[in-house]
Amino acid sequence: MRPYAPMIRVRTRSPDNTRELAASLAEQAQAGDLLLLVGDLGAGKTTFTQGFAAALGISEPVTSPTFTLAREYRGRLLLHHLDVFRLDQISEVLDLGLPELLDSDGVILIEWGDAIRQALPSDYLEIALTFVEGRPSPPDERVVVLTPVGSRWQARVDELTTLTEPWLESPPC
Ligand code: ADP
Ligand code: MG
């Protein structure tokens, strides 16, 4: 069973604002963390990864790994950036051995991670980015929903709640 804790819903107002949110998650990141990045093309999954990587002290530019499947960056932790946009990549992703990548001082961020949800380790933080509805829709705003899955992440709900506070959506007028 994979218990779900309550999700946390926040909003970012620019690409940099999404990078800052990611950076604050990266500051608290621990070896063994698995983050699933979910959202349509252009939602901000790679942008999020860039902010996360920078906060781990990675200075290399982070680009979408769509055609390379996985990239590895050395920072405070070893960041594995994966992308399973093409469904035929799923078996290749599984061949990488996610538990092994998480073993030493690795963290994994998987774009389109929901496509392989069934094959994932039981603990992960799902981060869903969505465009904001509205007329005209604000092009630089994203709703970001964090769902802690499994006991590892449930134990960190308070921490997540505190660190995401600056991005809480203002209550409706
Ligand atoms: P994905 O990896 O989900 O396909 P990218 O991160 O590559 O998406 O692209 C997101 C695009 O949306 C970028 O061009 C980025 O500048 C833009 N953008 C606009 N507002 C935001 C926001 N609030 N958060 C993230 N990206 C945003
Ligand atoms: Mg991408």
Side-chain angles (χ1 to χ4, degrees), residues 54-170:
L56 290 180
I58 292 159
S59 52
E60 275 171 84
V62 171
T63 53
S64 186
T66 298
F67 299 106
T68 49
L69 184 64
R71 284 179 199 246
E72 203 179 274
Y73 302 91
R74 167 49 70 190
R76 172 175 75 80
L77 300 165
L78 189 62
L79 171 64
H80 302 279
H81 182 202
L82 277 59
D83 191 309
V84 286
F85 179 56
R86 287 180 17 236
L87 289 185
D88 59 357
Q89 291 176 323
I90 292 176
S91 62
E92 292 170 52
V93 170
L94 298 180
D95 285 348
L96 292 174
L98 300 184
E100 288 72 30
L101 295 184
L102 290 170
D103 247 4
S104 52
D105 68 340
V107 292
I108 303 180
L109 266 64
I110 312 184
E111 296 195 30
W112 305 99
D114 50 330
I116 54 166
R117 202 191 299 273
Q118 275 73 18
L120 292 174
S122 55
D123 293 88
Y124 57 84
L125 179 65
E126 180 166 323
I127 300 167
L129 296 128
T130 49
F131 297 93
V132 174
E133 303 286 337
R135 281 170 189 266
S137 74
D140 288 347
E141 293 195 13
R142 301 289 187 271
V143 169
V144 185
V145 175
L146 286 74
T147 308
V149 179
S151 54
R152 177 188 181 94
W153 285 99
Q154 289 210 330
R156 287 157 73 181
V157 170
D158 288 348
E159 175 196 314
L160 291 171
T161 304
T162 305
L163 77 84
T164 52
E165 252 165 30
W167 290 273
L168 272 187
E169 294 182 274
S170 40

Side-chain angles (χ1 to χ4, degrees), residues 13-35:
R13 305 193 181 277
S14 68
D16 275 348
N17 201 211
T18 293
R19 289 189 189 97
E20 287 157 14
L21 170 64
S24 103
L25 281 155
E27 279 157 22
Q28 308 282 331
Q30 301 171 12
D33 283 353
L34 170 61
L35 277 65

